[in-house]
Every structure is written in structure tokens, then in C-alpha cells.
Amino acid sequence: MPLVSVKELLAKAEEGKYAVGAFNVNNMEIVQAILAAAEAEKAPVIMQASQGAIKYAGIEYIYALANLAASKSTVPMALHLDHGTSFDQCMQCIRYGFTSVMIDGSKLPLEENIALTNKVIEVARATGVSVEAELGKIGGTEDDIHVDEKDAFFTDPEEARYFVEKTGVDALAIAIGTAHGQYKGVPQLDFPRLEKIVGMVKAPIVLHGSSGVPDEAIQEAIRLGVRKVNIDTNIREAFTGACRQVLENNAKEIDPRKVLAPAREAATQIIREKIRVFGSSGRA
Ligand code: G3H
Ligand code: 13P
Ligand code: ZN
């Protein structure tokens, strides 16, 4: 079927009280892994490409691979720009056929974040593309956030309410204690803050930096209202780990297919596991 919008997938997730997995893509094998996992689990999925992925593979390849995967699939698949930081990047993705874009103005002062988000929404609305924005600082696992700094970094529920009221954004990424990359310890999520945000905000909530967060914590976040869960690092670990294993077993291997086929299979397995944790298995 054709690529669908993220807005449509998240509306169904809200009805069914589950979350849709958003998996980062960089190459053909990961796109194939997402398709295989989604088909095996009969689950809706989001393929998302960061600006780094677009720079690496080229937007034509990313779009063509994702569009082909969707056209072959019997389950709904969306293509989303992950952490777009400029209006121009969002416009480029919309022109190429992405069905959703994230405009990440989280480093900007609140009113500037609102203005930039609204500028993207104005064009996106006219083309049926959905828009995700970010409020609060998610950051990387290297940015150790102390408990007394929480209020400065984590999403403020009242600000989130105001932001969504002023933008009408289709999805909102929030900071409640997750971070991008590999965690050093076990991440502690601020569930009371999440509950407040969900109660005050009329937009589906997105959890970034979800690799390495214990399954039970992810499921509690979904129970409280998270509807899109982003996973990149766990796919990287599975994919590269499998490549490493093949080369460790046979340092003389020169056939890329012998290295990449097990990597694609490992990515498929981890994506299937995540889909089951998110409750989106059987929801296509
Ligand atoms: O949120 C960040 C994603 O993991 C993408 O990372 O910018 O290195 O592609 P990247
Ligand atoms: P992880 O790499 O920590 O899974 O985060 C992914 C993400 O949030 C992409 O936007
Ligand atoms: Zn992210």
C-alpha cells in the first residue's frame, strides 16, 4: 500500500492504547528489516531518517527504498524525517514524498520554537504531511542530567499545553529522562511528569531515546499515553554486532552479502521484539 501519514497511525494507536514503533533507517538492509518485522508482526510501523541518514544515503535513495518497501507491504508504513532542524530540510523531505516531518526547535526559546513549528505546519497541512515537534531537551546519554536540573531540561507540562495550543502540532516529543545513545546505567523516567503532560496536551506524545529503556518502563509510558516510540541505537547494536560476529568468525570474508545478511536478520529480530513490547503487534 502507499506510504501513510504518521498522524493516521497515531490516531489508531490512541484508539487501541498502544504505541507505534519508529525505527531509524540508514540503508537498504534496515528498510528491508523493518518491512520483514512489520509483516511478520502484522504491525503498523514508521521508518524514520535523520538528517545524518539523508546525508549518508542521499534523500533519493532513502525515499525510493522506503516507498518501495511500503508499496510491497500489506501493513501501513510511514516515512518520517527525524530531528529536522531547519525549515528547508523539512521542505525538502515534503517535496520528495515523506509523509511526516519532525521540526526540532527544542534548542530555541519557546516562542521561536512555536514560530518555526507553525511555519512548517503551514506547508505540511496543505500537502497532508504530519508534523512532530519537540519541547524540552532530550540530549544524548553523555549529557548527565542531575535530579536538581530536571526542571531546566525536562518538558514543562504547562509549556507543553501552551505549545500544542499555539501550534496544533500532530505529535509532541518530550523530555522525561530518556536520552539518545547507549545508557551508562538504567534510565529513570519521570512518570508523574508524563502523566501531567498527557492530561494537559491534546496531541500524541513521542518518546525518543527509547533504546536501552527497560521494557516495563516503556510499557508504563505507553499505558500513560505515549503513542510513538523511537528506536535507533538498539538496531545499530544488533546490525553492527552481527557484522562484527561474522568478521570475527572469518576475518578473510570479503563478500558483503555474507556480512550484511546476518545483520539484516538481527535487525529484523530486534524490531520484532520492540513491536511486541509496544503492543502494536497484530494492529495492522
Ligand atoms: O535521534 C537521533 C537518531 O538516533 C539519529 O542519529 O543523527 O546519528 O543519524 P543520527
Ligand atoms: P535511541 O538511539 O536512543 O534509540 O533514540 C532514537 C531516537 O530518539 C531517534 O529520534
Ligand atoms: Zn530522537
Side-chain angles (χ1 to χ4, degrees):
M1 63 178 79
L3 285 162
V4 300
S5 86
V6 167
K7 185 178 177 169
E8 179 184 328
L9 295 184
L10 300 190
K12 289 199 181 120
E14 178 55 36
E15 271 173 38
K17 307 291 176 209
Y18 59 91
V20 181
F23 303 104
N24 283 74
V25 302
N26 296 287
N27 60 17
M28 179 187 78
E29 284 77 8
I30 296 177
V31 170
Q32 291 175 328
I34 298 171
L35 172 61
E39 285 286 358
E41 293 297 329
K42 304 209 175 334
V45 281
I46 298 163
M47 296 171 278
Q48 57 184 12
S50 68
Q51 292 179 163
I54 288 172
K55 196 168 166 202
Y56 168 75
I59 193 163
E60 295 94 339
Y61 282 90
I62 294 280
Y63 176 75
L65 289 166
N67 189 47
L68 180 63
S71 72
K72 286 163 71 77
S73 83
T74 62
V75 299
M77 302 178 87
L79 176 59
H80 173 75
L81 167 67
D82 186 33
H83 292 284
T85 51
S86 72
F87 177 76
D88 288 350
Q89 178 68 81
C90 292
M91 293 307 110
Q92 188 197 34
C93 289
I94 292 174
R95 272 199 304 276
Y96 270 89
F98 282 50
T99 54
S100 177
V101 291
M102 175 180 189
I103 178 67
D104 179 355
S106 60
K107 290 195 174 72
L108 300 172
L110 179 64
E111 293 300 333
E112 286 177 39
N113 188 357
I114 290 174
L116 178 61
T117 302
N118 277 333
K119 204 172 152 195
V120 172
I121 287 177
E122 200 183 325
V123 181
R125 285 273 181 276
T127 52
V129 169
S130 43
V131 178
E132 175 181 332
E134 179 174 323
L135 202 55
K137 295 180 181 64
I138 295 164
T141 45
E142 68 280 5
D143 315 320
D144 253 336
I145 295 174
H146 283 250
V147 182
D148 54 352
E149 294 172 317
K150 267 185 174 181
D151 283 335
F153 288 90
F154 289 6
T155 307
D156 176 66
E158 175 50 33
E159 237 173 55
R161 186 200 59 74
Y162 177 74
F163 185 93
V164 172
E165 194 183 290
K166 291 283 173 194
T167 58
V169 77
D170 301 308
L172 183 69
I174 54 158
I176 54 162
T178 58
H180 296 111
Q182 290 177 313
Y183 292 96
K184 285 178 216 112
V186 180
Q188 300 300 322
L189 272 55
D190 189 340
F191 291 119
R193 185 180 298 261
L194 172 60
E195 195 166 10
K196 259 195 201 162
I197 294 170
V198 171
M200 292 169 75
V201 164
K202 291 190 190 69
I205 299 299
V206 183
L207 194 65
H208 283 242
S210 305
S211 296
V213 177
D215 291 351
E216 307 70 45
I218 294 282
Q219 285 172 334
E220 176 64 2
I222 294 170
R223 194 187 68 76
L224 292 173
V226 163
R227 296 291 168 245
K228 174 174 178 272
V229 179
N230 286 11
I231 298 283
D232 187 4
T233 299
N234 282 155
I235 300 174
R236 293 180 181 196
E237 289 166 345
F239 193 91
T240 314
C243 294
R244 195 173 287 120
Q245 190 70 57
V246 172
L247 293 169
E248 268 171 20
N249 291 345
N250 182 4
K252 293 207 170 76
E253 183 58 68
I254 59 153
D255 184 343
R257 295 167 299 189
K258 298 270 167 52
V259 181
L260 294 172
R264 179 173 57 192
E265 180 54 27
T268 306
Q269 290 313 318
I270 187 74
I271 294 166
R272 286 191 68 173
E273 280 170 33
K274 296 293 171 184
I275 286 172
R276 290 197 287 264
V277 170
F278 303 163
S280 53
S281 195
R283 306 290 191 152

